[in-house]
Amino acid sequence: MNDKKFNVKSTPSSERSTLHLVDNKHNSVEVIRCDNEESVKIALKDLEKYPHVCIAGVSNAGKSSMINHLVRKRNLAKASSVPGKTRSVDLFIINDKFVLADFPGMPSTDPQLDGQWRAKWRPLVKEYMANVVDLRAFIYIHDVRWPIAPDEVKFNKWMRRSFDIPSFLLVLSKDDKVGHNQRLMGLNNARNKLGFTDKDRHLHYCSDNSIASCRNGRRHVLRYIENALALENRQGKSTPNPGDLEDPI
């Protein structure tokens, strides 16, 4: 097993606000990076007591930047302008209260990444989804400037069909890079093609804390996570037949 574990030093929990799961200044975060299927299974067994929220999306859509922004940690998640920086299922134990699972990014236009996704990273995601005990929410992040790729559609259909996920959230990232018309077009395109229904929420997001709308986006995502974690525990996954667990892409 090649997973790595380390603690990020911060203010003791007794000094943090008890009103929120994530603090605005200081958060305790333990990280477990699982780069093979066995390490995923072992980590999930060790973390059974925690509720989980997972984050998925195409490579370079902004998953890592959002995680760093949410917990106020620089370079906690491996953010980069180069696609494919996240090469493992990364489990972030936040303030000893819940787990935020960061999936490797799906390939976009890089054929080399496509090969790594199919051979190495996709099996990690499948292993996580098949074994996580208490998954409360699924956050799918998409760059609002990009069209929806066919593989994204297949991936989201697979998630909805194969697993019992109580809550879905669509996060449209890079919101500070577009104007109103492009934002609206990106939203409609993403919701329609990814199959998000009227009961599924969406949020616009950017990670520049100097912009008021970015700070508001962070608050809304954290509120969504808090509400999702307050949902009744729905252990187990819906797998009507073995074929539903087949790789979608």
Side-chain angles (χ1 to χ4, degrees), residues 46-62:
D46 291 341
L47 301 176
E48 278 187 346
K49 69 177 183 178
Y50 297 103
H52 287 234
V53 174
C54 68
I55 299 178
V58 167
S59 184
N60 213 31

Side-chain angles (χ1 to χ4, degrees), residues 31-208:
V31 186
I32 304 176
R33 304 195 191 278
C34 305
D35 60 4
N36 60 70
E37 293 168 67
E38 185 63 21
S39 66
V40 172
K41 188 177 296 185
I42 292 173
L44 288 177
K45 185 68 176 176
D46 291 341
L47 301 176
E48 278 187 346
K49 69 177 183 178
Y50 297 103
H52 287 234
V53 174
C54 68
I55 299 178
V58 167
S59 184
N60 213 31
K63 294 186 296 90
S64 297
S65 294
M66 185 178 76
I67 292 171
N68 291 333
H69 188 228
L70 287 176
V71 299
R72 291 282 201 258
K73 301 286 185 185
R74 291 185 179 181
N75 300 319
L76 178 64
K78 298 177 181 179
S80 173
S81 60
V82 179
K85 194 68 174 177
T86 303
R87 299 170 179 266
S88 54
V89 169
D90 294 345
L91 306 176
F92 301 95
I93 307 164
I94 312 296
N95 295 327
D96 199 34
K97 293 179 180 178
F98 72 101
V99 172
L100 200 59
D102 182 19
F103 290 169
M106 289 182 291
S108 48
T109 58
D110 189 333
Q112 189 174 12
L113 286 183
D114 183 72
Q116 293 190 65
W117 166 260
R118 295 178 188 278
K120 298 179 181 179
W121 304 337
R122 180 174 63 186
L124 298 181
V125 173
K126 182 178 177 181
E127 190 71 27
Y128 173 90
M129 292 302 300
N131 289 282
V132 62
V133 172
D134 187 11
L135 181 62
R136 303 295 181 92
F138 173 83
I139 298 176
Y140 191 80
I141 186 166
H142 178 78
D143 189 324
V144 70
R145 302 169 297 178
W146 297 347
I148 297 293
D151 283 349
E152 292 184 86
V153 176
K154 294 177 185 177
F155 181 83
N156 277 271
K157 284 183 178 179
W158 177 58
M159 285 289 166
R160 290 178 181 276
R161 182 186 67 210
S162 299
F163 306 103
D164 183 21
I165 305 172
S167 181
F168 284 82
L169 175 69
L170 172 63
V171 171
L172 296 160
S173 63
K174 315 295 176 72
D175 186 69
D176 54 327
K177 308 295 184 184
V178 299
H180 174 74
N181 290 338
Q182 188 176 358
R183 181 181 297 113
L184 186 60
M185 289 175 59
L187 168 63
N188 291 334
N189 176 60
R191 286 193 66 95
N192 291 336
K193 291 192 174 181
L194 294 178
F196 276 70
T197 65
D198 290 341
K199 70 177 183 178
D200 297 322
R201 291 190 60 192
H202 71 266
L203 292 171
H204 294 274
Y205 200 91
C206 53
S207 299
D208 185 347

